[in-house]
Amino acid sequence: MKYISTRGEAPTLSFEEVLLAGLASDGGLYLPVELPAFSEAQLTAMRSMSYPELAFEIMLPFVEESIPAQDFRAIVDDCYSVFRHDAVAPMVQLAPNQWVLELFHGPTLAFKDFALQLLGRLLDYVLERQHRKVVIMGATSGDTGSAAIEGCRRCSNIDIYILHPHQRVSEVQRRQMTTVPGERIHNIALQGNFDDCQAAVKASFGDQGFLPEGRSLVAVNSINWARIMAQIVYYVYAALALGGPQRPVSFSVPTGNFGDIFAGYLARNMGLPVEQLVIATNRNDVLHRLLTTGAYARAELHQTLSPSMDITVSSNFERLMFDLYDRDATAVADLMRHFNDGDIQLSEPAMQRLGSLFSSQCVSDEETTAVIGEVYRRNEYLLDPHSAIGFKAARDCRRDSDVPMVTLATAHPAKFPAAVASAGVGIEPALPAHMADLFEREERFDVLPKDLAGLQSFMAEHLSA
Ligand SMILES: *Cc1c(COP(=O)(O)O)cnc(C)c1O
């Protein structure tokens, strides 16, 4: 499989290259030249597979020119063995034809483990083979940092630097990052906000001269294709469990950067009968406004009870835009150039395509806590604030009540105790046993001022040999 950029000017890459690439050199995002397709008979045969077996089958076509099948098999088996539920991604029914897909049984209790556990192992495999070392640099306002650290903690060829805004992430989230032991793991609390962290990361990717000869930066945010690829699997897994491929299924996805729901879109294009995809957002509703008005327009950032969806732009939307414009890279490059300077308007045909599969809803903090309370009282089931937004949108947006609707539960409620407390259900979600002592573990992080040169010399000084 070869990979091309949404903006058409960057070189075509192999899987191995795309894994290490980050943004394309033309500013675009990488996508496979064409998607593998699975027939109804092939999908039916996958019904009896375990999660790792299915993951291997679905992802092999994307990687097989770079990684031999038996090696990939071992990587995938090892990756999903660390999840703490036998089903890896179990489903729970909350109402007639309303299901929740629990994606929080990985090491850091959010769905990002599905992709980042795999990404860490893939990177280590490729780097080992190339006798090469890289540096991961990322900014986090929440779940990405801890999932990336957990995914890469055992990689001997990776130094990892994760920036978080000092005193502006929740204590659970901070401790999940800062209590992981390892000499190659560096948590930096930057004296600034999340945008300052992101700006420092972006500037460092743009000019990597501060790193010694032979080292380069690797991105672990959802612009990395391997993350999207890993997320396709659980859509197939859920649909097959609910009668697919003979029966269509719909999904509602708590959405920030559009990486997770985009994987659902790809699953559909690979042959899975997906009826509807619901984009569920919090007050940061750039995509909901796009679906309702046709305008893609930045707005001010609001802090909400669902911080992992607090974004102003959904970077992966560009990948969908590429298809909405018939894979016309010049049109995408034009649109994104204009978007740099201000708002853009999608064409009528693009909007029609978008609306035929996707719906959207924006859910306020008040509605979020109301849903958490209501579901707890009715089902004795505790949703985290992100999943609650997904569940509300699933109910309000579904077009056909005969089609099973699956809400992706993207985080464990214990990750967001304050939001759950404000729902007034009178219980506090407990951390799972393997994390019960999180508040006693020793933390390690460095507080640094908002100064790019200082940050970069800190990084260079602390690199492993
Ligand atoms: C990252 C995250 C999201 C948003 O996912 P995107 O792929 O950015 O759309 C939703 N919920 C939780 C809990 C997350 O950590």
Side-chain angles (χ1 to χ4, degrees):
M1 185 73 72
K2 293 279 181 245
Y3 294 84
I4 50 171
S5 163
T6 49
R7 300 195 193 175
E9 302 279 323
T12 300
L13 300 184
S14 68
F15 177 76
E16 190 163 341
E17 291 166 326
V18 106
L19 185 66
L20 297 165
L23 268 189
S25 57
D26 57 8
L29 300 171
Y30 274 104
L31 277 171
V33 173
E34 73 181 330
L35 285 174
F38 295 104
S39 67
E40 188 173 326
Q42 283 174 309
L43 287 168
T44 305
M46 292 177 189
R47 268 196 193 149
S48 55
M49 290 182 182
S50 68
Y51 194 92
E53 284 167 347
L54 183 70
F56 171 76
E57 290 293 329
I58 299 291
M59 292 190 283
L60 185 64
F62 293 112
V63 308
E64 63 189 341
E65 279 154 40
S66 294
I67 305 179
Q70 72 199 57
D71 292 357
F72 187 58
R73 180 76 219 227
I75 289 172
V76 169
D77 281 350
D78 180 54
C79 176
Y80 295 105
S81 70
V82 303
F83 281 64
R84 284 182 168 76
H85 193 291
D86 286 341
V88 181
M91 264 193 293
V92 173
Q93 185 167 19
L94 291 187
N97 263 343
Q98 287 278 11
W99 301 78
V100 164
L101 177 65
E102 294 186 343
L103 300 176
F104 50 71
H105 296 283
T108 71
L109 313 182
F111 84 94
K112 292 189 171 71
D113 289 325
F114 278 83
L116 285 162
Q117 284 294 317
L118 183 69
L119 182 63
R121 286 165 176 79
L122 288 172
L123 283 173
D124 214 31
Y125 175 86
V126 163
L127 294 169
E128 198 62 39
R129 204 165 61 177
Q130 297 185 3
H131 304 293
R132 197 174 145 192
K133 289 185 190 298
V134 297
V135 180
I136 283 177
M137 183 180 189
T140 192
S141 57
D143 302 324
T144 305
S146 55
I149 289 171
E150 277 292 341
C152 300
R153 63 191 288 189
R154 290 187 189 82
C155 305
S156 46
N157 300 306
I158 301 174
D159 291 280
I160 177 163
Y161 293 85
I162 299 293
L163 279 58
H164 69 264
H166 187 40
Q167 292 173 340
R168 294 188 200 205
V169 297
S170 84
E171 189 169 3
V172 174
Q173 288 180 318
R174 189 192 69 236
R175 286 182 163 274
Q176 281 190 312
M177 299 190 279
T178 59
T179 58
V180 179
E183 279 180 10
R184 296 187 191 82
I185 300 169
H186 302 278
N187 280 286
I188 296 170
L190 202 73
Q191 289 172 321
N193 60 24
F194 176 63
D195 286 339
D196 297 323
C197 295
Q198 249 187 336
V201 172
K202 205 169 172 193
S204 303
F205 271 84
D207 182 357
Q208 304 187 14
F210 65 100
L211 293 174
E213 191 71 27
R215 301 270 176 118
S216 55
L217 293 179
V218 166
V220 287
N221 56 8
S222 57
I223 63 168
N224 193 310
W225 162 256
R227 280 190 56 180
I228 308 282
M229 174 185 83
Q231 292 163 1
I232 298 171
V233 179
Y234 47 70
Y235 287 92
V236 182
Y237 190 63
L240 297 185
L242 291 173
Q246 282 75 22
R247 191 182 184 206
V249 177
S250 296
F251 293 93
S252 175
V253 187
T255 295
N257 255 328
F258 204 73
D260 199 3
I261 194 166
F262 184 68
Y265 167 80
L266 295 178
R268 175 176 176 274
N269 290 357
M270 289 163 66
L272 194 74
V274 175
E275 178 93 357
Q276 188 188 358
L277 289 170
V278 180
I279 302 167
T281 78
N282 63 25
R283 197 177 158 201
N284 297 294
D285 61 347
V286 61
L287 291 172
H288 178 62
R289 282 182 286 113
L290 170 67
L291 262 92
T292 44
T293 67
Y296 195 40
R298 288 185 184 83
E300 198 189 320
L301 185 71
H302 298 287
Q303 282 198 5
T304 70
L305 293 176
S306 42
S308 305
M309 289 151 60
D310 287 350
I311 46 88
T312 53
V313 201
S314 299
S315 39
N316 279 295
F317 188 73
E318 180 170 340
R319 285 185 158 121
L320 181 67
M321 225 188 243
F322 189 59
D323 278 4
L324 297 178
Y325 282 83
D326 274 323
R327 306 204 127 205
D328 178 350
T330 316
V332 174
D334 265 359
L335 277 165
M336 293 312 292
R337 199 168 37 246
H338 287 119
F339 186 58
N340 255 344
D341 310 324
D343 305 347
I344 54 174
Q345 191 79 32
L346 295 201
S347 72
E348 196 49 48
M351 283 306 295
Q352 266 174 17
R353 279 190 187 172
L354 181 64
S356 66
L357 177 63
F358 290 91
S359 333
S360 67
Q361 191 176 14
C362 158
V363 179
S364 69
D365 277 351
E366 293 70 33
E367 291 169 318
T368 305
T369 51
V371 171
I372 295 174
E374 183 209 315
V375 170
Y376 185 74
R377 283 186 292 274
R378 205 185 46 226
N379 299 84
E380 283 192 33
Y381 186 83
L382 209 45
L383 290 164
D384 100 288
H386 305 80
S387 312
I389 288 173
F391 189 67
K392 171 148 176 63
R395 271 198 317 214
D396 293 354
C397 295
R398 73 193 304 196
R399 292 176 187 156
D400 182 349
S401 57
D402 290 335
V403 175
M405 172 63 87
V406 180
T407 298
L408 272 52
T410 49
H412 190 289
K415 263 194 122 151
F416 302 97
V420 174
S422 61
V425 293
I427 62 154
E428 209 177 300
L431 284 165
H434 74 278
M435 249 183 231
D437 65 342
L438 186 67
F439 285 83
E440 280 101 66
R441 293 183 198 165
E442 190 193 337
E443 287 194 83
R444 258 180 345 117
F445 62 97
D446 291 281
V447 181
L448 294 186
K450 195 175 86 183
D451 162 40
L452 187 62
L455 168 69
Q456 293 181 338
S457 52
F458 176 91
M459 289 176 64
E461 277 162 29
H462 289 82
L463 279 182
S464 64

